[in-house]
């Protein structure tokens, strides 16, 4: 039976450190504050927003919501970003995306100051990750996956890691983070042939296909460390990861559950970026 | 005996296209012009500069050298970049690096307009490559390696490619370019364990370790396509690639020679960027 790598303990460690930082900041009159920019009333955005605000409250981070209409122009949204850049009461900014199609996302991403870009959308922060410079803000999901490995002291140097995802929120930045730890990394995706032959030989496999229970036993070996970042609904309508958990967890050495794995760490990473941004202000 | 993938034919194809573009540009009174910024008189820089100018002359690209002293300040070099950004007679800028240590390279890289950044040093161009957006300027050596594969119609989709290099001039950008072609990519480096086990199973291996003749037969199979980007001196003081060419070329299916392989394509890529920059001005 595999060791279960739960996200809540990893998140607790991050929160513990944050609380200390927030106390220190309070002594010099600073309160970390997250500015949330939301266009329109998409229910998913609102649900995510509520969850973030609740998390902020618990930890002692202020939050301010900037709600705008979906018909606002690129110029207006750029102006809002520039206003938030100057606003000393806002440490970091989270902009809900995707944006309405009439808005030029490139201009918006470049308008926000890299120093307040806690969700890593500015090209300067992305280029830093690409170059292996981890002093900027990295994509939260990729950092969450890495944190789960680091917290559980999974060796990375010289290990063969397979990442089944090539997106900008997970696969590509995670590959750069793993290279910094001297892992040998393979990036797989929907066009990869004989995927199980590649994953089953790896020391660590990170999956994010969004196909419930797709990865069965044949994709792993007895020593596999499995980090499941996929979230989708299975045939019974239940939240599920990419990995067939009941079957695979019996065989491998370590595995993250879904829900309760990497996803539980992501918001803590975002909030830790807000605290870090406040410290640098 | 392997098929030899020579660089000169690949470069000739690129030059042919450039000549047509230059003729078209001449009709509207435009001449592609490369601005070369050199600090000091490093012999390697001067030798590279001469070779580039000669190549520019042959193809019909103008070149202008901006020679400065090594004691110039960051502010002065930023000012020069800004001047070149505004200068309509300069299409693209090549800055010789590394810069003297007292200069803040980050500021210089961000000072040059991404539209004139033909050597891909601006974070915005790097972030584009990272995101798989190939509309900007990519690092020339990585593009040269890719061009050799494309010119020779080596299938990439679904193929397993191993890149033995994780630098910003080759390995990392090449991985992004290969992912865009739907290859499955593994990045190896000095800390990779059992390297031959990984490379010998791949369809395509790109090497750039800078260790003369390091890769012998055991690193490949009979179908291997070998792209050798390493350049160093062997024990006899002769220019050599990473691959033990006499031994390996007898076994694999395709191989690039050194010299005369990828290196012969790099300058053509740089010059094609100058032409592209001029077209967009």
């Amino acid at each position: 039976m595999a060791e279960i790598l739960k996200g809540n303990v990893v998140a607790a460690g991050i929160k513990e450190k944050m609380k200390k930082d927030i106390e220190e900041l309070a002594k010099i009159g600073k309160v970390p504050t997250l500015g949330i920019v939301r266009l329109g009333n998409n229910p998913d955005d609102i649900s995510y927003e509520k969850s973030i605000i609740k998390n902020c409250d618990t930890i002692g981070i202020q939050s301010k919501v900037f709600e705008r209409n979906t018909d606002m122009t690129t110029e207006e949204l750029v102006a809002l970003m520039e206003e938030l850049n100057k606003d000393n009461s806002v440490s970091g900014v989270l902009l809900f995306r995707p944006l309405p199609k009439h808005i030029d996302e490139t201009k918006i991403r470049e308008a926000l100051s890299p120093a307040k870009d806690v969700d890593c959308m500015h090209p300067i922060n992305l280029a830093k990750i690409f170059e292996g410079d981890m002093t900027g803000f990295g994509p939260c999901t990729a950092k969450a996956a890495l944190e789960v490995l680091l917290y559980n002291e999974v060796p990375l140097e010289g290990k063969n890691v397979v990442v089944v995802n090539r997106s900008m929120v997970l696969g590509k930045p995670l590959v750069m983070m793993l290279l910094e730890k001297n892992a040998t990394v393979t990036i797989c995706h929907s066009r990869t042939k004989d995927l199980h032959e590649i994953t089953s030989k790896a020391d660590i496999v990170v999956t994010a296909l969004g196909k419930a229970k797709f990865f069965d036993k044949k994709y792993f070996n007895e020593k596999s460390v499995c980090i499941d970042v996929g979230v989708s609904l299975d045939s019974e309508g239940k939240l599920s990861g990419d990995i067939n958990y009941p079957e695979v967890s019996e065989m491998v050495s370590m595995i993250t559950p879904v829900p309760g794995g990497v996803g539980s760490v992501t918001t803590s990473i975002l909030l830790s970026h807000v605290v870090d941004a406040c410290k640098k202000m």
Side-chain angles (χ1 to χ4, degrees), chain A residues 39-187:
Chain A
L39 274 58
N41 293 298
N42 182 306
D44 284 349
D45 287 351
I46 290 178
S47 152
Y48 182 35
E49 182 180 295
K50 276 187 187 164
S51 144
I52 291 173
I53 292 174
K54 197 178 149 193
N55 272 285
C56 281
D57 286 348
T58 315
I59 204 106
I61 293 174
Q62 279 194 2
S63 50
K64 289 183 181 182
V65 177
F66 300 84
E67 186 185 339
R68 295 292 185 271
N69 291 325
T70 51
D71 63 358
M72 88 184 295
T73 64
T74 298
E75 292 65 36
E76 285 166 344
L77 189 50
V78 166
L80 174 58
M81 290 294 152
E82 287 168 352
E83 197 182 297
L84 293 172
N85 290 345
K86 286 179 214 151
D87 186 342
N88 287 329
S89 76
V90 172
S91 325
V93 174
L94 172 67
L95 168 68
F96 286 130
R97 292 182 291 168
L99 294 167
K101 283 183 184 169
H102 68 276
I103 289 183
D104 182 346
E105 190 165 318
T106 304
K107 283 188 184 161
I108 307 305
R109 290 170 51 190
E110 293 178 18
L112 179 63
S113 161
K116 294 195 177 187
D117 176 34
V118 292
D119 195 32
C120 192
M121 64 175 191
H122 197 291
I124 285 187
N125 280 325
L126 289 171
K128 275 191 171 183
I129 295 290
F130 193 26
E131 296 188 83
D133 172 353
M134 301 299 158
T135 62
F137 298 116
C140 299
T141 305
K143 276 184 86 170
L146 183 69
E147 277 302 319
V148 170
L149 290 167
L150 296 178
Y151 180 89
N152 290 287
E153 295 176 351
V154 177
L156 297 173
E157 171 131 358
K159 296 296 174 185
N160 294 323
V161 186
V162 174
V163 178
V164 190
N165 182 282
R166 54 173 161 174
S167 75
M168 285 306 289
V169 292
L170 178 69
K172 288 180 173 183
L174 181 58
V175 166
M176 299 305 140
M177 293 169 190
L178 291 165
L179 283 176
E180 278 311 292
K181 301 292 181 189
N182 294 320
T184 299
V185 193
T186 301
I187 319 175

Side-chain angles (χ1 to χ4, degrees), chain A residues 1-2 220-222 224 226 248-255:
Chain A
M1 189 67 192
F220 306 100
N221 64 61
E222 290 182 2
S224 298
C226 308
V248 173
S249 62
E250 275 181 10
M251 181 181 86
V252 300
S253 81
M254 292 178 163
I255 189 166

